[in-house]
Amino acid sequence: MSRSPSGRGGRRVAGVVLAIGTALALAACSSGSSGSTTTATAPTGSAQASAPVSAPGATGTLTVFAAASLKATFTEIGQTFQEQNPGATVTFNFAGSSDLVTQLTSGAPADVFAAADQKNMTKAVDGGVIDGTAVNFASNTLTIVTQPGNPKGITGFADLTASDLQVVVCAPQVPCGSATTKVEQSTGVTLAPVSEESSVTDVLNKVQTGQADAGLVYVTDAKGAGDKVTAVSFPEAATVVNVYPIAALTQATQPELAAQFIALVTGPDGQQVLQDAGFAPAP
Amino acid sequence: MTTVPDAVRRRGRTASASGLPGWVFLPAALGGLFIVLPLVAMLARVQWSQFAALITSDSSVDALWLSLKTSTASTVLCVLLGTPMALVLARARFPGLRLARSLVLLPLVLPPVVGGIALIYTFGRQGLLGSSLEVLGIRVAFTTTAVVIAQTFVALPFLVLSLEGSLRSAGRRYEAVAATLGATPTTVLRRVSLPLVLPGLFSGAVLAFARALGEFGATLTFAGSLQGVTRTLPLEIYLQRESDADAAVALSLVLVVVAVLIVLATRGRGGEGVR
């Protein structure tokens, strides 16, 4: 860090330093994003083991990409996992299943993928990122949610067609919306929603804030919202069961940990957490 | 190797062309690349063979048409509300002026989702004004009106900022002269102030239109998403991405083209008014 005596020389030095700094910053960015996708390039993390150690007590950082609806349950299961494997750290990326598939097929580094429906897992398989076969670990059905206390007195799916009701559903393009379409087909009741949201949380939010009188969400979403909404279950919901699959990824840098995590999710401990949140077992 | 005086002279010449040291151009070029490269990358992903079919589907045309309609409506609202606001901020003297200016700029720095939440609690069915409107039989939730409200909310600061800047740089000399010649304040405003800042008003309106066209978060949170009613182009792109990435890219390109046309319009006609 020597300083040039002349001002002009100082400027030139500053320019060179700036250019080098920029180049380094760019290089750091690119190595940061691609380095981890290529397998163990010894990241700077401290608890990183060079080779996967056989279970139990494996160490390393496990990256799990999971559907947004799994946020609460997987966070809890992740904590259990870390307690069982003190050397391991679990990091999550929760987002819409189709977003996650896009990220994975574009090379995002991850070890495990849990989707909210079969369609997106199939897309991931077709994209060549899934190692082995996916295992179904939970299922979810739709329910009607209304404002607390059900002020409009909705008792079944057919009630949602009442003309004075503002009903919000998911758009057919997203998993909860395609489930809604299937329920409509199986009941022969066609809804006239005031909005088709792009995520189930948007539907829930519209009901919670009183914008809408009723909405169709998953049982687990209704349960997670507590007393801010009232769930009205309807028998036809059972005809459309959304099954959640989980799988390890071909690009996993922690295949041992990935297998253990999947075992935990499908095992009794994980299943208990999922059931407490309102998920049904996989069929 | 050249002698020192030569080098100095040459550097002096380079500097005189732009008044800038040469090294500034490197990070500037990198910055430019940073903006252009993602657009080029997106262009490379467009499926040209299906492009026409993708952007002329019912849902795409509905979304584009709705976007243009609502953005125009909110730009008109911005001009009607924002011009007096800019005049007051630029010319009036009252306590709390600084605070007022900061508040006006708030939608600019708020995350749009936050704006949407705030709008729900204002115009929503159980909101501050919404519950009264509901009694009157006016329902804003899930209507095209809600989209226009959301767009106006986020776009208004752009017009106010741009116009206030023009008013300040135009100064008050001509206004003062007109007033001494006996013109009423309204005449001064109509015949002197506004014609002087017309370029600023134009570019402010174009910026507001562009911001309204790109509005996403507040609309999604506040207005909902239904084809032909509330699903504007950005919402349609977001939804298409779930099922048909090609359609999302094609529609994104349409939005980019519209945005580029808008930028060219500002630069071409009223650009010098932006200060």
Side-chain angles (χ1 to χ4, degrees):
Chain A
M1 288 294 179
S2 64
R3 278 202 186 181
S4 166
S6 102
R8 187 166 282 129
R11 275 215 301 272
R12 169 176 267 182
V13 170
V16 171
V17 168
L18 186 67
I20 292 173
T22 313
L24 283 178
L26 290 174
C29 288
S30 62
S31 74
S33 58
S34 64
S36 40
T37 55
T38 57
T39 65
T41 25
T44 46
S46 53
Q48 196 78 25
S50 53
V53 187
S54 59
T59 56
T61 300
L62 180 75
T63 306
V64 178
F65 277 31
S69 49
L70 295 168
K71 187 168 183 184
T73 48
F74 268 41
T75 306
E76 195 179 333
I77 292 173
Q79 269 155 15
T80 310
F81 187 76
Q82 288 180 169
E83 281 161 21
Q84 291 178 359
N85 304 277
T89 312
V90 188
T91 57
F92 288 105
N93 177 11
F94 295 109
S97 298
S98 57
D99 274 343
L100 293 174
V101 173
T102 311
Q103 290 170 17
L104 289 172
T105 50
S106 313
D111 303 295
V112 175
F113 174 46
D117 65 349
Q118 300 293 317
K119 197 178 88 182
N120 280 298
M121 185 55 84
T122 308
K123 273 194 330 200
V125 170
D126 293 345
V129 296
I130 299 299
D131 185 28
T133 47
V135 188
N136 297 331
F137 65 94
S139 66
N140 215 345
T141 48
L142 291 177
T143 181
I144 299 167
V145 283
T146 68
Q147 279 163 50
N150 192 4
K152 300 278 180 177
I154 296 160
T155 56
F157 192 74
D159 290 354
L160 296 179
T161 54
S163 58
D164 62 332
L165 274 190
Q166 307 249 305
V167 178
V168 177
V169 300
C170 288
Q173 287 90 336
V174 293
C176 56
S178 76
T180 304
T181 309
K182 283 180 200 149
V183 170
E184 285 184 278
Q185 283 163 356
S186 77
T187 54
V189 174
T190 307
L191 302 178
V194 291
S195 182
E196 295 175 346
E197 304 287 338
S198 39
S199 83
V200 70
T201 42
D202 283 324
V203 174
L204 193 63
N205 188 265
K206 295 287 191 297
V207 177
Q208 279 179 341
T209 56
Q211 291 289 91
D213 298 310
L216 281 171
V217 300
Y218 291 121
V219 172
T220 50
D221 300 305
K223 196 158 182 179
D227 53 8
K228 288 180 188 145
V229 294
T230 295
V232 179
S233 58
F234 57 101
E236 299 91 335
T239 58
V240 183
V241 179
N242 206 33
V243 180
Y244 286 61
I246 189 169
L249 300 168
T250 47
Q251 63 213 15
T253 54
Q254 302 285 350
E256 293 279 335
L257 285 178
Q260 281 179 49
F261 185 83
I262 293 170
L264 177 63
V265 169
T266 51
D269 288 352
Q271 291 294 304
Q272 187 59 51
V273 173
L274 288 160
Q275 258 175 50
D276 289 347
F279 285 101
Chain B
M1 287 299 282
T2 48
T3 59
V4 172
D6 258 346
V8 168
R9 205 177 307 132
R10 206 174 45 223
R11 193 154 44 226
R13 261 208 309 276
T14 329
S16 72
S18 61
L20 288 173
W23 57 264
V24 168
F25 288 89
L26 179 66
L30 279 174
L33 212 59
F34 180 63
I35 292 173
V36 172
L37 208 56
L39 293 178
V40 173
M42 199 179 74
L43 266 179
R45 281 295 176 99
V46 175
Q47 305 281 319
W48 294 107
S49 55
Q50 305 158 37
F51 185 73
L54 288 176
I55 64 161
T56 52
S57 71
D58 272 356
S59 59
S60 306
V61 172
D62 280 355
L64 179 62
W65 185 230
L66 181 70
S67 267
L68 293 175
K69 272 196 304 192
T70 53
S71 302
T72 307
S74 39
T75 306
V76 170
L77 270 179
C78 282
V79 169
L80 292 178
L81 298 172
T83 308
M85 285 166 78
L87 284 166
V88 169
L89 288 179
R91 294 287 187 262
R93 296 265 179 280
F94 58 90
L97 184 68
R98 279 185 158 198
L99 182 69
R101 184 178 293 118
S102 321
L103 287 178
V104 167
L105 296 185
L106 209 54
L108 202 68
V109 290
L110 274 185
V113 179
V114 177
I117 292 172
L119 288 173
I120 283 185
Y121 291 120
T122 314
F123 296 99
R125 291 171 71 192
Q126 298 171 353
L128 212 56
L129 302 176
S131 43
S132 318
L133 292 173
E134 190 95 340
V135 173
L136 296 173
I138 302 167
R139 182 166 288 181
V140 174
F142 306 115
T143 62
T144 307
T145 311
V147 178
V148 175
I149 290 175
Q151 290 177 344
T152 308
F153 182 77
V154 297
L156 195 53
F158 285 83
L159 186 119
V160 175
L161 257 192
S162 168
L163 188 57
E164 194 205 342
S166 298
L167 280 163
R168 286 183 179 281
S169 52
R172 322 180 64 154
R173 263 187 311 150
Y174 295 107
E175 295 168 9
V177 170
T180 56
L181 293 175
T184 63
T186 303
T187 310
V188 174
L189 180 66
R190 201 164 50 83
R191 303 288 299 275
V192 181
S193 311
L194 288 182
L196 267 178
V197 295
L198 214 53
L201 181 62
F202 178 79
S203 58
V206 170
L207 278 178
F209 183 85
R211 179 65 188 86
L213 194 68
E215 208 324 285
F216 173 75
T219 311
L220 190 70
T221 318
F222 172 56
S225 173
L226 191 68
Q227 183 178 337
V229 182
T230 49
R231 189 174 295 153
T232 55
L233 201 48
L235 269 68
E236 173 73 14
I237 292 170
Y238 185 66
L239 186 61
Q240 285 292 347
R241 209 181 38 114
E242 296 280 348
S243 55
D244 187 353
D246 291 343
V249 171
L251 285 174
S252 302
L253 183 65
V254 172
L255 205 53
V256 168
V257 168
V258 176
V260 167
L261 290 178
I262 290 167
V263 172
L264 289 179
T266 346
R267 289 284 150 256
R269 292 192 48 195
E272 69 283 354
V274 191
R275 269 293 309 146

